[in-house]
Amino acid sequence: MTPPARPDVLLALAVAVPVGGWTLLLLWLALPGAWAPLLAPAVVVGHAAGAWRRSAPTGSFVVTSLACAVQVAVLPGDLPLLPSLLAFPLSLFAYCAHGGRRAPGTALVVGVAGSGTVALRAALSARVQLPPAFLAGFLLAIVLVAFSLGLFRRVQLAYVGELEHRAARAEAEREERARRAALDERARIAREMHDLVAHSLSVIVSQAQGGRYAARARPERAAEVLRTVEEAGRQALTDMRGLLGVLRGGDGGGDGLGPQPDLSRLPELLDRVRESGLSVDFAGTGTPGRLTPAAELAAYRLVQEALTNTLKHAGAGARCRIRFHWSDDRVEIEVRDDGSGPRPGDGAGHGLVGMRERMAVAGGSVTTGAAPGGGFLVSALLPRRAVTTGEERERA
């Protein structure tokens, strides 16, 4: 049998100590001889079974009912009721609330039968002063109150259980949507990273070919060519590590493999957004520099997605501020609007997931949420790593 919970044990003791103790004292004083030793175990067992009222409601109700039946049967006719019989309505309440499917009906039948038995026994006793009809009505009222409260508690527990089940199901669905959004976004990032890795490998191949001729004609140029190859290879390896560390199960499709945007195209993006009616303020501090292709793509897409969310959610008349702060080792990006419309949500959508995935590929991080004073804030950090000489040459 499952051990009873601590609160149930404490409640059983809280009832047993005063009520059971009073009953045992009454039996000892009013029933000399062999009656008290016979009834005392039934009193103790009836109260002790209340500790299992939730962990084993059926067994607890059966034991309590039998203990109360023994008390009614053994007790002399001039004492039809004992205080310890209070354990029965408490057990009936718990059985209705926590028992099986047929528990309420069974508890009501047992309660009505018990009330009738006690009333009948009182009617057959010439020394009982209470009218049998009054006693039967009183006991039946107690049973009905316990039954009603138990049924109410049962419905309440069922309602709470259904709410918890729905909450768990909603959480599972939200996690599944987030997982699918992450997989879709990683597949799209894989297509974009295709150009970045292919570009670095093209630089390595072209520099290696040039190095072969330089080694013959101008040996002093061979060291510079090898250094360029080394830098391009290291950058390609960094991009591949970011790709393999984040992407799992990208589809590797061949569509959408055109040149990817970088920060040099950011003014065009801002102009297009301003033409749509959104007021955009852009400012930069520090000394701007070139980032790796993955970092520039991530920064561009972050600003693009943040502006898209502002257009969709900020409401009419909203303004957006974009800040780039360049330092020696990193660049901080902040996109903030002052809109009051509904926000993008809890982060399970494709846009916000895409921001995080792209930043992870580039080695950065992003945080999103409500801005102090109102509006929405997107804040990102990107490490600032210089691009290779070969990359600069091809971009030029």
Side-chain angles (χ1 to χ4, degrees):
M1 182 180 292
T2 305
R6 185 175 180 181
D8 295 336
V9 174
L10 295 178
L11 180 60
L13 287 175
V15 176
V17 170
V19 178
W22 180 22
T23 303
L24 294 177
L25 179 62
L26 181 63
L27 292 176
W28 184 261
L29 296 177
L31 297 176
W35 293 110
L38 290 176
L39 291 173
V43 173
V44 174
V45 171
H47 283 286
W52 282 268
R53 64 186 185 89
R54 287 193 298 181
S55 58
T58 301
S60 175
F61 180 69
V62 171
V63 171
T64 302
S65 299
L66 291 177
C68 292
V70 169
Q71 297 176 48
V72 173
V74 176
L75 193 68
D78 56 344
L79 293 175
L81 296 177
L82 289 175
S84 60
L85 295 179
L86 179 64
F88 179 77
L90 296 178
S91 180
L92 188 147
F93 162 80
Y95 185 48
C96 289
H98 306 288
R101 183 178 179 181
R102 299 181 179 179
T106 303
L108 183 60
V109 171
V110 174
V112 172
S115 301
T117 302
V118 174
L120 179 61
R121 190 172 182 276
L124 297 177
S125 175
R127 302 181 60 180
V128 177
Q129 302 298 324
L130 291 175
F134 173 80
L135 183 59
F138 176 73
L139 296 177
L140 184 60
I142 294 177
V143 169
L144 292 178
V145 168
F147 170 78
S148 301
L149 293 177
L151 199 60
F152 174 77
R153 181 59 176 165
R154 184 184 188 89
V155 173
Q156 187 182 48
L157 292 175
Y159 177 71
V160 172
E162 179 64 21
L163 291 181
E164 292 176 350
H165 174 71
R166 291 183 180 181
R169 186 172 58 187
E171 178 66 16
E173 292 176 353
R174 190 194 68 81
E175 292 178 356
E176 178 64 18
R177 289 196 301 269
R179 187 186 69 83
R180 290 180 180 178
L183 291 177
D184 293 343
E185 193 61 35
R186 288 170 183 174
R188 191 170 72 178
I189 294 173
R191 294 192 293 268
E192 294 176 348
M193 286 294 294
H194 175 276
D195 279 355
L196 304 179
V197 177
H199 166 75
S200 299
L201 294 179
S202 299
V203 171
I204 293 176
V205 172
S206 62
Q207 291 295 323
Q209 291 175 344
R212 292 172 54 192
Y213 297 103
R216 299 174 184 173
R218 299 176 58 187
E220 67 279 4
R221 288 276 298 167
E224 180 180 350
V225 172
L226 291 177
R227 184 168 57 252
T228 303
V229 171
E230 177 188 2
E231 293 173 351
R234 183 178 292 109
Q235 187 59 56
L237 182 60
T238 299
D239 291 340
M240 283 297 296
R241 283 176 176 172
L243 175 65
L244 297 177
V246 175
L247 299 180
R248 294 290 188 270
D251 60 9
D255 55 335
L257 299 180
Q260 299 299 325
D262 53 23
L263 291 180
S264 64
R265 298 176 58 182
L266 191 58
E268 301 176 12
L269 173 65
L270 299 183
D271 289 338
R272 289 197 303 269
V273 173
R274 291 188 181 106
E275 291 175 359
S276 66
L278 178 64
S279 177
V280 181
D281 178 24
F282 178 85
T285 59
T287 304
R290 302 304 298 271
L291 302 174
T292 63
E296 291 217 3
L297 174 61
Y300 180 90
R301 293 299 191 196
L302 179 135
V303 175
Q304 183 183 48
E305 184 61 34
L307 291 173
T308 301
N309 284 337
T310 300
L311 287 170
K312 292 167 60 177
H313 302 289
R319 298 177 58 88
C320 185
R321 295 185 301 167
I322 303 174
R323 299 288 183 269
F324 275 63
H325 176 68
W326 299 84
S327 59
D328 294 335
D329 59 343
R330 65 183 182 180
V331 56
E332 301 176 26
I333 306 172
E334 181 180 295
V335 183
R336 175 175 180 174
D337 66 65
D338 57 359
S340 57
R343 308 319 306 163
D346 59 357
H350 291 248
L352 299 183
V353 170
M355 291 182 186
R356 298 187 180 96
E357 295 291 339
R358 294 174 192 278
M359 286 294 167
V361 170
S365 62
V366 62
T367 57
T368 61
F376 197 76
L377 174 64
V378 176
S379 179
L381 294 177
L382 272 173
R384 185 174 178 179
R385 298 191 298 265
V387 295
T388 62
T389 304
E391 288 173 333
E392 289 283 4
R393 184 181 300 114
E394 288 207 2
R395 283 187 174 180

